[in-house]
Amino acid sequence: MKIPYGKQFLDDSDIESVLVALKSDWLTCGSRVKDFEEKFAKYVGAKYAVAVSNGTAALHVACLAAELKSGDELITSPITFVASANCALYCGAKSVFADITSNYSGLISPEDISNKITSKTKIIIPVHYGGLPCDMEEINNVAKENNLIVIEDACHALGAKYKGHMIGNCSFSDMCVFSFHPVKHITTGEGGMITTNSEELYKKLLLFRTHGISKNETEFLKTSDGPWYYEMQELGYNYRITDFQCALGSSQLDKIDIFLKRRRDIAKKYDTFINSNLDLFEFTKLDANKENAYHLYVLKLKDDSRRKELFKFLLSNDIVPQVHYVPVHKQPFYSKHFGDIVLTESEKFYNKIISLPMYYSLSDEEQDRVIEIIKKFYKKN
């Protein structure tokens, strides 16, 4: 049986929660959406949370709420999924890439963010790569000095902490975005969430989630025609999430602590293996100010010429790794529209990495097999 790099875990309580929702009167736009939002906001310590159809939608509506528009620039990391950059293009703005640090963390460099700021810059999107928080205090200071908005991409980082602050409580940002794709810490099938402490941003997020339509008579711009009246006040989108997805999300959130504990236990075993083979692999020591949520466990090879061979060897032994990510600035679309960009640390990092299996239901025996296959590769080569 193949061992994937990531997968969901559902138990009977998850399935029952969905069945109950499916048998209810509301499949969408019901109370379970609000219940999930409030439960999630409480968990991360934010005032507000808005659930949407997926993490990409969350990034998009966060940019819309921040009033990103044509002529503006958004700075983000190239070591991320393309959505972190594409959300700027959806708004007619430009994505600008800051390089990552040189310490093999995969995290955006606050110093290079500063280097990339222009008069057109409006938003910074730091990406908590793999579940490890960025240096948010430094990034927030850069943002404040330049009157910029910070939107954390925490799609990997539910349950992570920075300087004692839960990622998502927006202590060092204006908004924070999460994903509930099946390989993430909790899943709703597809789904996303934006958290914020700003009532103004919260109201905008709600508006853009549902076609820009408001049914709140206290916010109407024109005189109401009657109890049926509603207004489209902005050009929004249909980014709603269903009640049965939110029922699943609420049930999954009940298990987040055990999910995180297992991921951290798996990471410790991988760490022990890496530390006993420092002639072959790079090891990133965890900053005492950061608590990793371990969406990913990334193996970093010292000899990058062996990466493809090792990847194929794992596949041939029924282990399905992944590479996170092909740098966004190297994607054909970005090269075509923005030219060839050189980001030295990002490209060096990409050439060295393989994501190993990391998920709650990965057994000790399966993880031991992953490690033994890697050992076997180096012994035979």
Side-chain angles (χ1 to χ4, degrees), residues 54-251:
N54 53 62
T56 302
L59 285 162
H60 187 195
V61 296
C63 287
L64 291 170
E67 300 182 5
L68 189 69
K69 60 186 185 302
S70 178
D72 292 336
E73 292 179 350
L74 177 157
I75 297 174
T76 193
S77 169
I79 302 299
T80 185
F81 186 57
V82 293
S84 308
N86 290 352
C87 58
L89 308 186
Y90 300 155
C91 298
K94 179 183 177 182
S95 299
V96 175
F97 299 102
D99 209 350
I100 62 171
T101 62
S102 59
N103 66 354
Y104 298 103
S105 67
L107 301 179
I108 195 168
S109 163
E111 182 180 357
D112 204 40
I113 290 174
S114 293
N115 294 337
K116 299 296 169 65
I117 292 173
T118 72
S119 60
K120 297 179 180 179
T121 308
K122 190 158 193 176
I123 295 174
I124 303 169
I125 297 187
V127 179
H128 301 313
Y129 174 76
L132 183 64
C134 295
D135 296 309
M136 287 308 303
E137 189 167 22
E138 292 178 54
I139 292 169
N140 191 45
N141 288 339
V142 170
K144 285 181 177 178
E145 288 168 7
N146 294 275
N147 196 29
L148 304 178
I149 291 167
V150 178
I151 302 170
E152 298 173 73
D153 184 335
C155 290
H156 292 185
L158 179 59
K161 291 182 179 180
Y162 173 75
K163 293 193 172 182
H165 296 271
M166 185 75 80
I167 293 297
N169 75 2
C170 300
S171 293
F172 301 97
S173 66
D174 299 279
M175 288 175 276
C176 189
V177 167
F178 295 87
S179 166
F180 307 131
H181 182 276
V183 297
K184 299 303 192 330
H185 295 80
I186 67 171
T187 187
T188 57
E190 289 280 4
M193 190 78 79
I194 313 104
T195 59
T196 185
N197 293 321
S198 164
E199 184 179 10
E200 180 184 359
L201 289 172
Y202 172 63
K203 288 179 178 179
K204 288 182 180 180
L205 292 167
L206 292 175
L207 198 65
F208 285 117
R209 175 177 69 180
T210 312
H211 301 283
I213 289 174
S214 174
K215 296 181 180 180
N216 185 345
E217 62 181 336
T218 65
E219 297 174 356
F220 287 162
L221 304 178
K222 294 183 177 181
T223 303
S224 172
D225 295 334
W228 63 86
Y229 186 75
Y230 61 89
E231 289 185 346
M232 178 181 156
Q233 298 173 342
E234 297 283 353
L235 179 59
Y237 297 80
N238 182 0
Y239 284 158
R240 294 190 300 266
I241 191 171
T242 66
D243 275 56
F244 51 90
Q245 285 176 289
C246 288
L248 176 57
S250 290
S251 180

